[in-house]
Amino acid sequence: MASSPQDTLPLPADASLLMVPHCLLLVEPGQARVELLALENFLGYTRLDLAAPGAVAAKVHPGDAAAFGELLAGQPLPDGLQNLLMRSRAGEWERVQARLFSLLRDEQGRFAQGALLIVPVSAMKLVLRSFMDNEARYRAVVRQATVGITVMDVDGRLTEWNDAFAEITGYTADEMLGRLVWEIEALMTPPGVAAQLSVENRVRTVQQGAKATWFGRRVPFRVLRKDGIERTVEAVYFHIHTPAGMMIGMVAQDITEPKAAEAA
């Protein structure tokens, strides 16, 4: 489907994206699976609605099926963005933007893995309108998000720690902002559990230009809350390119109860 210039919006490379209902797919040759539905809502669908193989592709307009197939085959556009039409749960066709990133290739240069981000244009317009030239409002939305959000700067110090993450961990932003993330990892790792994320090594490796295979993937780990209670958290990492270097963010959800229910 052809798209007009006004339909093309720059997807923000920062935490504001987490305020928008979007779908993140992990793409590998021959398969794609939903890794994250931000706010558990994408065009009216939940993660369960899109869990079956091919469920997301089935929502793509027939006229855009070939373009979507190219994205699944690891073929991004030169400008990085692909405009598509997808059917919402209400049965209406809505324009979305898709971007393939964090591409990995094997030793022969063949596509091995990537992350595909799909964002409704209507939702992105609302975010851009709300956040444009208004940092205070942006920070207010980050603080009030229903998912936990943290962001570390190029030195590994926390610059964001929202209310939802404070609720998950029991630690407030005042207690955490400005601290090194690996210090916090040591503080919140349960006794007898080896460091699960190796945060310092991962951050340093990425800042030195190495590929981060863990970007865009769901990473489960255990945390020790301030009150001594252990919880299971699932996180997805994203990167933010700045003139000073790469910052790293994380969106997290407490999955303790769902995980226990699965094991029952």
Side-chain angles (χ1 to χ4, degrees), residues 13-181:
D14 57 34
S16 66
L17 181 59
L18 300 175
M19 304 302 100
V20 184
H22 67 264
C23 181
L24 183 68
L25 301 176
L26 179 66
V27 181
E28 297 174 332
Q31 64 176 332
R33 67 174 183 271
V34 174
E35 284 292 305
L36 173 72
L37 281 189
L39 310 185
E40 285 300 316
N41 175 28
F42 175 73
L43 299 180
Y45 300 109
T46 65
R47 185 188 297 186
L48 183 61
D49 295 327
L50 302 176
V56 176
K59 308 296 187 287
V60 176
H61 190 282
D64 289 331
F68 189 71
E70 290 179 355
L71 290 173
L72 296 185
Q75 301 175 30
L77 294 183
D79 63 3
L81 294 177
Q82 174 69 64
N83 285 279
L84 307 166
L85 285 178
M86 295 187 69
R87 187 186 296 277
S88 70
R89 189 165 192 169
E92 299 177 350
W93 291 109
E94 292 198 28
R95 188 164 298 282
V96 303
Q97 286 193 341
R99 181 176 66 185
L100 190 65
F101 62 99
S102 296
L103 286 175
L104 296 177
R105 300 190 180 279
D106 61 20
E107 295 179 353
Q108 286 73 45
R110 296 171 300 192
F111 171 66
Q113 188 182 88
L116 180 61
L117 176 70
I118 309 175
V119 183
V121 169
S122 58
M124 187 57 63
K125 286 180 177 178
L126 290 175
V127 169
L128 293 177
R129 187 178 301 122
S130 298
F131 293 161
M132 191 174 296
D133 300 323
N134 196 331
E135 183 178 356
R137 182 177 300 173
Y138 157 75
R139 291 190 177 278
V141 174
V142 170
R143 283 198 308 271
Q144 297 169 31
T146 58
V147 291
I149 298 172
T150 65
V151 178
M152 71 186 79
D153 64 16
V154 294
D155 296 318
R157 295 189 181 277
L158 284 175
T159 62
E160 298 281 0
W161 183 278
N162 74 342
D163 292 348
F165 210 79
E167 183 176 346
I168 292 172
T169 64
Y171 291 95
T172 67
D174 289 340
E175 294 175 288
M176 293 302 185
L177 292 180
R179 300 182 64 172
L180 291 169
V181 69

Side-chain angles (χ1 to χ4, degrees), residues 185 188-190 193-199 202 219-223:
E185 177 194 29
M188 296 174 52
T189 297
V193 177
Q196 303 151 85
L197 301 180
S198 304
V199 173
R202 292 188 177 201
V219 180
F221 57 95
R222 291 162 58 195
V223 301

Side-chain angles (χ1 to χ4, degrees), residues 203-252:
V203 171
R204 297 305 187 199
T205 300
V206 170
Q207 289 175 338
Q208 292 168 5
K211 293 180 179 178
T213 58
W214 40 279
F215 276 144
R217 286 193 173 210
R218 286 183 288 170
V219 180
F221 57 95
R222 291 162 58 195
V223 301
L224 182 67
R225 285 174 43 89
K226 186 177 181 179
D227 58 13
I229 297 174
E230 291 188 23
R231 306 292 292 178
T232 302
V233 173
E234 185 176 77
V236 176
Y237 292 85
F238 59 95
H239 48 75
I240 307 168
H241 291 286
T242 73
M246 182 186 291
M247 300 173 66
I248 298 174
M250 176 179 74
V251 55

